[in-house]
Amino acid sequence: MAIKRILSLCLAVLVIFSGIPVAVAENNHGRPEKFQLIRIALTPSGSAFVAVHAETRIGFTDLKSTCLSVFAGSQEPSKQVIFKSIRVIDDLSARIVGNIDVDVELKDISGLLPTRASAQVINELFEEDADSQKSRMLREKLYKNIGVLVDLEGQNLKEGDARDYRIEATFDIIDRKAANANGRKTQAFSSTRKDTAIINDTSQTVESVGIITESANADTTLIVQALPSRPGWHCGDLHIHSDWAIPVSNGGGGWSDGTGSLRELANRARDKGLHWLIPTDHEDRIRLKKDGGVWAGGWNAYCDSTLVAQIGSGILVAPGVEITAKDLYNKIGDCLAYWMRQYSPIPENQSLPAQLLIDAINLQNPGYSFAAIAHPFGRPSWPDWNATGFRGMELISNSKTINNKAYSKWRTILNNNLASTINGNGFVVALGGSDSHFGHPGNTGQTWIYDGSFSYDNRAITWSALRAGRASASGSCSLGAIAINNYPQGRVITPTGGQDMTVKIVQQPVSGVTCKAYSLRDKTGAILLSKTYPPTENYHTIKSPPKGQLNFYFAVFDFSDGSHVITNPVFVNPQ
């Protein structure tokens, strides 16, 4: 263990002093990254909690107001917990900038936990198992996605600013036994407590016999960012969940995948500066959708609703679906299905093993529809790497950074299929998606696509760009791109063997962020060249391999906000 720590320290020192990313960062849905996404604070008694996003990013043009999502829950089965109010306080001016009376009774989540949990345990349930049944139950049991309008007028926010706000949630805790005990008094007290990475100022006072008012404060940061603007490039989120599925009170349950309607998600994506959005709720949730007790049409209605969201928001909104593979040994993994026909059945959740599911997706809209592997080493991990035929794979999923295992697997797959790619059969495209279940598109994981004819009402252009690999996966909306001999990512080029090739590398971060370094890599993963703190456009000369030696080249970028970008390759077939 000591040796491993010493080696880790040496590697960290090397990275700091070289300024060059020596390897793709390990993430694998690790806890430190996850705990940065949601901040949770408990009341003093631990009976209730409030949760907010650690960061909310808004577009530079949307500075009059914004909506913060606040979640709350109870973990005290012997008490009734009433969620009373939310106040949003600007830490800089101490001014109340948002205020709402909630006044709803919270459902108890203690059945999901072995004991009354700490904020850290609840955080793990929020984020670590985002696709699990437990996590869905947690979200369903919360009064979730309570939107608090925050007034930004007069705060003098500018592009690149980051402003901290305190979310103060107030609860009434009603002890049924105490309320029934005549004349019994409960003493008032106040306290301040700290939890791991969570500062929680709390206080409680007696309002009446058996009723105690408690508060819990959680901090969030509002970041004002403008996305990069570059001709032909368009940023979007290709993996996000909505509140499409509603709970079914009779006949076997069913929980929403996420929070926020399709229209709300589209509006938030637009306000953030995204140009396109692909909602991807789970197939069984889409199928279980009910409206007033009447079946609402499943996949067909879902497609119709994305069109309504597209028209209402003014950005492209295309329907996708997440489908879970399941084999005879109960191994499962999630597949994203894109470019599917509206009026044709789609494969059902957990009905097919991996290979048959991929085949069914590809055949649903022959020649167009395609499958992509979601969070391949997340939860759940992809169960069958012998399966073939998928055309995409998330290298960045619900994270700012590249998943190292996914990166290694992706490069192996590209190498194993290199001859087929050169012959025009396509390749597995590196993708980035937020996999957000909490209503914030593009916060951690996006994809930039390149197409000069992009249109907000032509979905085929977006689908085609993704399928062809004219794309870069990004962790925090920064852009990185390459071209070789003026040919963009996803293309196969045929230079003369041994000839000089011109490599153009472009980096454009979101406002307030800088590019620390980039590296150009080939099929072996070796770093051919690198540059620290580069200008926006960079030109390098490299030699083409000898005739007949196939290769591919891609770039990895490291930005000052801790995020990565990875481009898809340019493939080289020297003549």
Side-chain angles (χ1 to χ4, degrees):
M1 183 64 70
I3 295 174
K4 288 181 73 174
R5 287 176 180 159
I6 293 170
L7 290 174
S8 298
L9 180 60
C10 291
L11 179 60
V13 171
L14 175 62
V15 172
I16 291 170
F17 284 97
S18 68
I20 298 169
V22 296
V24 176
E26 182 75 55
N27 180 41
N28 301 335
H29 284 232
R31 291 182 179 179
E33 177 72 20
K34 288 294 181 182
F35 286 161
Q36 295 173 15
L37 302 183
I38 295 287
R39 289 178 180 165
I40 293 175
L42 296 171
T43 60
S45 67
S47 298
F49 64 87
V50 64
V52 296
H53 294 273
E55 294 178 356
T56 299
R57 299 169 187 268
I58 63 171
F60 178 51
T61 58
D62 185 32
L63 294 180
K64 293 183 179 180
S65 64
T66 192
C67 189
L68 295 180
S69 295
V70 179
F71 311 86
S74 164
Q75 54 174 349
E76 184 63 81
S78 65
K79 296 180 180 178
Q80 182 183 11
V81 179
I82 309 296
F83 190 10
K84 295 296 292 182
S85 64
I86 305 168
R87 292 198 307 170
V88 182
I89 301 170
D90 178 4
D91 274 359
L92 187 64
S93 65
R95 185 167 65 94
I96 297 174
V97 293
N99 195 0
I100 185 172
D101 291 326
V102 182
D103 204 27
V104 293
E105 182 176 352
L106 295 179
K107 299 178 183 179
D108 172 49
I109 70 160
S110 60
L112 303 178
L113 304 165
T115 59
R116 190 157 60 187
S118 67
Q120 186 166 336
V121 171
I122 298 171
N123 201 337
E124 182 177 347
L125 192 57
F126 256 97
E127 288 293 345
E128 289 292 326
D129 295 314
D131 286 323
S132 73
Q133 182 171 324
K134 266 194 173 183
S135 183
R136 290 175 189 163
M137 289 176 66
L138 171 64
R139 290 193 298 275
E140 180 55 38
K141 284 176 175 288
L142 298 178
Y143 280 91
K144 56 187 180 303
N145 201 34
I146 295 173
V148 185
L149 192 66
V150 178
D151 179 16
L152 301 180
E153 294 278 12
Q155 296 194 47
N156 299 316
L157 290 172
K158 304 181 296 298
E159 181 182 345
D161 281 356
R163 183 69 63 87
D164 292 330
Y165 296 91
R166 187 169 74 256
I167 311 299
E168 182 180 277
T170 304
F171 307 87
D172 275 356
I173 315 296
I174 303 172
D175 189 328
R176 296 183 177 90
K177 292 181 179 179
N180 292 330
N182 293 330
R184 187 171 179 178
K185 303 291 184 180
T186 307
Q187 299 299 315
F189 70 94
S190 64
S191 67
T192 300
R193 57 180 286 176
K194 294 184 178 181
D195 208 340
T196 305
I198 301 167
I199 297 177
N200 179 11
D201 292 329
T202 57
S203 63
Q204 62 179 21
T205 58
V206 174
E207 285 193 350
S208 62
V209 174
I211 301 178
I212 298 176
T213 298
E214 296 189 338
S215 64
N217 299 343
D219 293 330
T220 187
T221 301
L222 185 71
I223 300 174
V224 182
Q225 288 187 319
L227 268 63
S229 177
R230 191 167 188 86
W233 285 94
H234 304 273
C235 189
D237 191 344
L238 49 69
H239 186 180
I240 187 168
H241 299 273
S242 77
D243 67 357
W244 172 263
I246 63 175
V248 181
S249 58
N250 299 315
W255 300 273
S256 296
D257 281 334
T259 61
S261 68
L262 294 172
R263 175 66 181 274
E264 288 170 335
L265 296 183
N267 288 343
R268 291 171 191 172
R270 176 201 61 205
D271 292 344
K272 185 181 175 67
L274 302 183
H275 291 174
W276 54 272
L277 185 71
I278 304 177
T280 51
D281 287 309
H282 280 275
E283 185 277 332
D284 54 340
R285 305 304 148 194
I286 293 173
R287 180 161 34 93
L288 285 173
K289 169 71 175 181
K290 297 181 86 174
D291 184 6
V294 179
W295 292 107
W299 172 244
N300 291 339
Y302 190 75
C303 293
D304 287 340
S305 294
T306 61
L307 182 59
V308 171
Q310 176 173 296
I311 294 170
S313 66
I315 69 168
L316 188 143
V317 183
V321 58
E322 188 168 13
I323 307 173
T324 301
K326 182 177 182 180
D327 64 18
L328 295 175
Y329 304 99
N330 291 323
K331 292 190 296 183
I332 63 171
D334 290 337
C335 221
L336 299 169
Y338 297 135
W339 211 341
M340 308 284 277
R341 285 184 300 196
Q342 178 171 357
Y343 296 106
S344 294
I346 58 177
E348 291 193 359
N349 211 56
Q350 297 195 31
S351 65
L352 296 169
Q355 185 62 70
L356 293 182
L357 174 59
I358 293 168
D359 293 343
I361 291 171
N362 292 339
L363 290 173
Q364 199 268 357
N365 188 12
Y368 299 96
S369 54
F370 61 99
I373 308 304
H375 42 73
F377 292 93
R379 294 187 180 182
S381 295
W382 184 244
D384 184 5
W385 289 109
N386 291 318
T388 60
F390 56 92
R391 287 295 298 270
M393 180 173 162
E394 284 187 321
L395 269 59
I396 296 178
S397 176
N398 196 10
S399 172
K400 290 184 178 182
T401 59
I402 299 164
N403 182 291
N404 197 51
K405 290 182 179 179
Y407 164 78
S408 297
K409 178 61 71 173
W410 173 72
R411 195 167 49 77
T412 297
I413 293 171
L414 293 186
N415 276 285
N416 290 343
N417 296 279
L418 185 52
S420 177
T421 300
I422 295 296
N423 288 329
N425 295 317
F427 64 98
V428 174
V429 178
L431 302 172
S434 72
D435 193 12
S436 174
H437 292 254
F438 302 104
H440 281 270
N443 253 18
T444 49
Q446 315 83 34
T447 298
W448 286 87
I449 59 171
Y450 177 75
D451 197 298
S453 59
F454 177 87
S455 170
Y456 290 103
D457 58 1
N458 189 335
R459 293 168 171 176
I461 291 174
T462 299
W463 293 133
S464 296
L466 290 171
R467 197 173 192 271
R470 299 192 300 273
S472 294
S474 176
S476 191
C477 289
S478 292
L479 172 63
I482 66 167
I484 299 181
N485 291 349
N486 291 322
Y487 289 94
Q489 299 157 210
R491 292 293 297 272
V492 177
I493 65 174
T494 56
T496 301
Q499 182 187 53
D500 284 346
M501 299 189 301
T502 300
V503 180
K504 181 180 181 180
I505 302 181
V506 173
Q507 63 83 19
Q508 284 186 235
V510 295
S511 57
V513 175
T514 57
C515 181
K516 294 168 60 179
Y518 67 70
S519 59
L520 180 70
R521 309 182 185 201
D522 67 4
K523 67 179 183 180
T524 68
I527 296 177
L528 305 182
L529 58 90
S530 60
K531 192 173 184 66
T532 58
Y533 297 99
T536 299
E537 296 187 0
N538 306 265
Y539 294 87
H540 303 277
T541 300
I542 62 173
K543 290 288 185 183
S544 165
K547 181 179 179 179
Q549 291 190 13
L550 309 180
N551 211 328
F552 59 81
Y553 302 88
F554 62 98
V556 175
F557 299 78
D558 181 18
F559 291 90
S560 60
D561 62 351
S563 68
H564 293 155
V565 169
I566 184 167
T567 74
N568 278 286
V570 176
F571 296 88
V572 177
N573 179 19
Q575 301 299 303

